[in-house]
Amino acid sequence: MTDPLPCFHTPRAVLGIPGGVRRPGIPWRLLASVLVLLSLPACARDVRRGDPDVQVRWLITPSAPSVGRARIRLVVSDVAWRPSNGARVTVVATRDSVRMAVDTARGQGAGQYFIDDFSFDVAGRWVLSARVETPDGRWVEVDHPVEVGPAKEPER
């Protein structure tokens, strides 16, 4: 007699296997799909190095940047999200492993640091790397991937 659903077997006694029970296997397509889905979010996450107690959050305006100028805001805090003021924040932009720009963000209180006119010169996948050095000597580096679109046509 054949099983109506070959992927979902009921345990059966099998000679020669310790315990004598064969357990159903996971279908390979299901396993492959789950692995692909789990790996996708990892591609877009920030990469961190340094002190885990220093938190950095990126905000870029416009949120889908295109070739031209953008505003970068970094919010620096501790793990309880209390703002960290007085830090030195440097942003390095790379594209295809080529350093495209380096800029220092200005602190404006409440743990906020700004670069008002950051220039994205070409479209493509960029990595923005912020190095934050706090007044008490701690540091963190956070790499943030950004997809930069082509230049937008001016509105008429």
Side-chain angles (χ1 to χ4, degrees):
M1 179 175 201
T2 61
D3 291 331
L5 298 172
C7 292
F8 301 100
H9 301 284
T10 55
R12 299 180 191 185
V14 178
L15 298 176
I17 294 180
V21 176
R22 186 176 97 193
R23 292 186 177 86
I26 298 174
W28 69 270
R29 287 185 181 143
L30 176 63
L31 182 61
S33 299
V34 169
L35 290 175
V36 167
L37 289 174
L38 289 175
S39 67
L40 287 178
C43 298
R45 287 196 179 140
D46 292 350
V47 176
R48 297 178 45 88
R49 295 171 296 282
D51 192 324
D53 293 338
V54 178
Q55 300 296 308
V56 177
R57 186 174 60 195
W58 293 85
L59 298 154
I60 301 172
T61 308
S63 60
S66 59
V67 171
R69 302 274 180 202
R71 183 175 200 216
I72 296 176
R73 177 170 61 138
L74 294 139
V75 180
V76 179
S77 61
D78 62 11
V79 290
W81 290 105
R82 288 185 297 260
S84 177
N85 295 316
R88 177 174 168 76
V89 179
T90 306
V91 175
V92 176
T94 57
R95 183 175 178 282
D96 296 330
S97 301
V98 175
R99 183 181 282 195
M100 301 295 281
V102 178
D103 209 339
T104 301
R106 288 180 297 105
Q108 293 194 346
Q112 298 185 55
Y113 298 83
F114 291 91
I115 300 175
D116 289 322
D117 58 348
F118 196 85
S119 180
F120 290 107
D121 297 330
V122 293
R125 185 167 180 82
W126 290 62
V127 176
L128 300 178
S129 301
R131 176 157 176 103
V132 177
E133 299 172 2
T134 64
D136 60 359
R138 296 179 300 155
W139 65 272
V140 67
E141 291 178 352
V142 181
D143 298 342
H144 182 71
V146 176
E147 191 67 37
V148 177
K152 294 182 179 176
E153 295 291 325
E155 295 181 20
R156 295 180 188 172

